[in-house]
Every structure is written in C-alpha cells, then in structure tokens.
C-alpha cells in the first residue's frame, strides 16, 4: 500500500512538473518574453509578465481614440462661422444682420484653423488619415478667410470667389466618393462622413451659383448653410468630444 501511494505521488509530481514545463515552454516561445529575457538577464518575472500582458492586450483603434483632440476644435470653430453666415443669408434685407461682423467671425475662424492644421501635419496627428483630412480642411480654411475679407471690405464682385466655391464643392465631391467606396480603418463604412461631404458638395455649389450670377435665392443658401453648420460641424464636434465608445459613427 505504501509503495502504491508513493508511486501515485511520484506520478502526480511528474504530471505537475510536465505541466509547468509546458507552460514555461509556451511562455518562452512568446516574442514578448524573448525580448525581455536578454534585457533582464532572465530575471524580473513580474516585469516580463507585464510585458506579455501589454503585448496581448487588444489594440485600440487609433482613429477613434485620438482624432477628437485635433478635429473637435476645428469643427466647433467652423460651426460658429457657418451659422453666422447662414443667419445672415436668411436676412437678405440685412435688417438684423451685419455683414462686417459676420466677416470678422468668418475670417477669424479661417485663421484659427491653421495652427491646428499645421500642428496636425507636423506630427501626423491622425496617422495615415492626416493628409486626407488636412487637405480637405485646408481648402475650407482658405475659403473662410477669403469670404471673410470680402465681407469686411464690402467687395461687391464675388464672381471669382463663387467659381472657387464651386471648384471646392466638386473637390469635396471626390471626398464623398472616397468615403462611399472605401472601408473605414476601424471597420464598417464611412456613411456619415459621406453624407457630410455630400452636404458640402451641395452647399458650396449653391453658394457659388449665388455669388456668380445670383441664380440661387439667398434664403435658400441661408437655410442650406445653417443646416450644414449643425449637421456637418456642430454634431460631429460633439461626438468627437465624447470618450471612446461614445462617438457614434466616428
């Protein structure tokens, strides 16, 4: 009986040693462990296990968690300028609107965009999407500044700026096509981004036709621009300001 008990104890001990050996073998095969052993000289088990846990942790989507700090300020500033212009165009007689004041708001908004855009480009703040976003935003920053100056200095002939608005509108249409046909880096689609670009395609073409020939009624431009201020700037700004997991389609 004593021999049987001792043999069972030996078998159990061997089994435990085998399991421990297999665990150590598997851990040793992990690249994170291999990277820590030479540096720590085989010691520091706690640090090694922490490194392994870090390596095995699921990666957080870059675009979702870090773009808000770059994009949200731009969107808030843009929404202020757009809403000011939209409300002005809803008052064609300028009974309550002051074009000089709206021009100041629009110019300041365009100027304030550039520090964010330059910093974003320097550090590539949105990763592979940086150039895509800054290219689109840079066009609108330029347009805000140019439009604001024409309003401040009461430049009556805006035919050239109208042509620029239409050109930017069609370039935004290219972005809309990209968003519609390209998968998002975090999975899913760019549907909401596509609708934003589509609204701007329509708004810039209407604004351009209004400035070129007066073919579009000013109130129509006012309603479209006011809607764009809320739907394409204010709402995304609020969503991008939310913590990860609460950013809706972003």
């Amino acid at each position: 009986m004593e021999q049987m008990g001792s043999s069972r104890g030996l078998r159990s001990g061997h089994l435990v040693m085998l399991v421990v050996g297999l665990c150590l073998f598997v851990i040793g095969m992990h690249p994170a462990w291999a990277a820590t052993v030479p540096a720590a000289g085989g010691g520091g088990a706690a640090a090694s296990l922490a490194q392994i846990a870090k390596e095995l942790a699921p990666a957080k989507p870059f675009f979702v968690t870090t773009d808000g700090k770059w994009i949200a300020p731009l969107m808030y500033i843009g929404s202020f300028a757009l809403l000011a212009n939209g409300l002005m165009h809803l008052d064609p007689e300028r009974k309550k609107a002051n074009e000089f004041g709206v021009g100041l708001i629009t110019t300041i908004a365009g100027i304030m965009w550039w520090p964010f855009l330059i910093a974003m480009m320097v550090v590539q703040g949105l990763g592979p999407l940086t150039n895509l976003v800054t290219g689109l935003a840079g066009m609108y920053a330029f347009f805000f500044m140019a439009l604001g100056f024409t309003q401040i200095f009461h430049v009556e002939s805006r035919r050239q700026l109208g042509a620029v608005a239409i050109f930017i509108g069609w370039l935004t249409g290219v972005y809309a096509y990209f968003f519609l046909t390209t998968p998002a880096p975090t999975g899913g689609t760019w549907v909401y981004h596509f609708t934003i670009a589509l609204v701007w395609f329509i708004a810039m073409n209407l604004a351009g036709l209004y400035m070129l020939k007066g073919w579009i009624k000013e109130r129509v431009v006012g309603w479209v621009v006011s809607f764009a201020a809320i739907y394409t700037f204010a709402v995304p700004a609020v969503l991008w300001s939310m913590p990860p997991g609460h950013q809706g389609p972003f």
Side-chain angles (χ1 to χ4, degrees), residues 75-114:
M75 305 302 278
Y76 280 123
I77 294 169
S79 67
F80 303 151
L82 285 177
L83 188 60
N85 277 274
L87 295 177
M88 182 187 72
H89 287 302
L90 289 174
D91 182 18
E93 295 81 15
R94 303 294 188 267
K95 293 180 179 179
K96 298 180 180 180
N98 185 303
E99 191 163 357
F100 179 82
V102 173
L104 284 177
I105 296 173
T106 307
T107 303
I108 292 172
I111 294 173
M112 289 180 69
W113 273 29
W114 286 109

Side-chain angles (χ1 to χ4, degrees), residues 3-44:
Q3 291 180 350
M4 291 180 62
S6 61
S7 62
R8 288 179 181 177
L10 290 173
R11 290 177 183 176
S12 300
H14 291 161
L15 181 60
V16 171
M17 292 178 63
L18 178 62
V19 171
V20 172
L22 287 174
C23 291
L24 292 175
F25 175 77
V26 171
I27 293 174
M29 293 296 291
H30 193 280
W33 178 273
T36 58
V37 169

Side-chain angles (χ1 to χ4, degrees), residues 28-77:
M29 293 296 291
H30 193 280
W33 178 273
T36 58
V37 169
S48 301
L49 291 175
Q51 179 67 22
I52 293 172
K54 182 178 178 181
E55 292 287 333
L56 293 177
K60 296 180 180 179
F62 177 84
F63 187 68
V64 172
T65 58
T66 64
D67 68 339
K69 67 181 181 181
W70 297 102
I71 300 298
L74 299 178
M75 305 302 278
Y76 280 123
I77 294 169

Side-chain angles (χ1 to χ4, degrees), residues 102-161:
V102 173
L104 284 177
I105 296 173
T106 307
T107 303
I108 292 172
I111 294 173
M112 289 180 69
W113 273 29
W114 286 109
F116 287 96
L117 295 179
I118 293 172
M120 194 188 306
M121 287 185 286
V122 169
V123 303
Q124 290 291 292
L126 299 181
L129 298 175
T130 301
N131 295 336
L132 179 75
V133 174
T134 54
L136 180 62
M139 291 191 294
Y140 283 93
F142 163 79
F143 184 78
F144 283 166
M145 293 175 60
L147 176 61
F149 281 131
T150 63
Q151 293 168 334
I152 291 173
F153 297 105
H154 300 285
V155 179
E156 297 298 331
S157 177
R158 298 178 184 170
R159 298 185 63 183
Q160 292 80 7
L161 189 57

